[in-house]
Amino acid sequence: MTEPGPMPASGRRLVLFGPPGSGKGTQAQLLEARTGQHHLATGDILRAERAQGTALGARVGGYMDRGELVPDEVIIAVMAAHLQGLERTGFIFDGFPRTVAQARALDSMLTAIGRPLDGVVVLEVPMGVLETRLLGRAEAEGRSDDTPETVRKRMRIYQEATAPVLDYYSSRLPIVRIDGDRPVSEVLSAVLAATGGITPRPV
Ligand code: AP5
């Protein structure tokens, strides 16, 4: 395994961005273990709500199974709750924001707690590789939204609703693009090196 490069400051606040299957969750978990940045993954939060049988889980289940986005107001309320009482100064958002409305809401919430974002890391992976990864995960883990039809829908929704979030951030924050079509350890090294070059914004 390649030894990762420079370690970013644990206090950086990042959005880890990319299409379904690009490795956001994989990399965010590794970054949290290595840097102490808190990993906030909307997909994981919603799946946990479903597993616990909560009202929120019941409300979002259909959207998730169909590969559709959960309505903005629901997701924004969920993330507002998770940002309250956040003790660590550094965090990584994975799967959020996924619409421009969510990005605007996140900016407002982070400004209110005095912890603005420092940058956006985009994992770039060819479409064919993404589909292979997700269909492989379907066989291994049986995630309800990894069927061929639902994967195609998730990709289309990413292009239509989520990719424009990068345009929103382009004039506001540093955006670094990482080739995510490499072994996990190489992607991690590249992310660590790139995020180490992002200057933390004053709080
Ligand atoms: P979410 O869980 O966020 O799904 P996603 O974005 O589609 O993300 P994935 O988990 O599929 O991919 P990933 O990029 O995290 O890759 P991973 O590391 O897992 O959201 C699920 C649903 O919840 C949404 O469809 C929506 O309904 C709802 N939702 C969530 N957030 C929302 C929001 N903000 N607004 C509205 N609705 C929301 O890796 C994928 C696979 O590839 C794994 O098997 C992994 O082992 C493998 N892999 C990873 N990296 C590599 C590598 N470098 N080489 C080879 N294989 C790799």
Side-chain angles (χ1 to χ4, degrees), residues 29-173:
Q29 279 179 23
L30 294 170
L31 286 167
E32 179 173 47
R34 194 168 163 83
T35 68
Q37 288 160 292
H38 189 52
H39 172 200
L40 284 158
T42 38
D44 290 348
I45 291 168
L46 299 178
R47 279 186 289 275
E49 293 283 343
R50 293 185 75 182
Q52 291 160 21
T54 65
L56 172 63
R59 186 169 179 198
V60 301
Y63 294 101
M64 297 177 77
D65 288 343
R66 292 191 300 273
E68 297 168 4
L69 294 182
V70 170
D72 285 336
E73 64 273 18
V74 176
I75 287 290
I76 290 166
V78 167
M79 292 312 277
H82 279 263
L83 285 175
Q84 276 177 10
L86 194 64
E87 289 178 1
R88 277 180 268 182
T89 54
F91 31 85
I92 305 160
F93 292 104
D94 156 14
F96 179 81
R98 248 169 157 108
T99 64
V100 173
Q102 291 180 20
R104 290 186 196 282
L106 179 62
D107 277 350
S108 299
M109 291 190 285
L110 293 180
T111 299
I113 62 171
R115 293 179 189 174
L117 289 171
D118 296 317
V120 180
V121 178
V122 187
L123 298 178
E124 297 185 318
V125 178
M127 182 70 74
V129 175
L130 296 172
E131 289 178 356
T132 302
R133 284 184 187 178
L134 294 179
L135 298 180
R137 184 172 64 185
E139 285 180 19
E141 299 175 21
R143 210 172 103 168
S144 62
D145 57 349
D146 281 342
T147 64
E149 185 189 344
T150 310
V151 164
R152 278 195 294 276
K153 189 195 277 188
R154 287 161 62 199
M155 295 299 173
R156 180 169 48 74
I157 291 174
Y158 173 82
Q159 292 301 337
E160 292 173 1
T162 303
V165 173
L166 280 184
D167 295 331
Y168 171 81
Y169 282 131
S170 62
S171 60
R172 292 170 167 84
L173 288 173

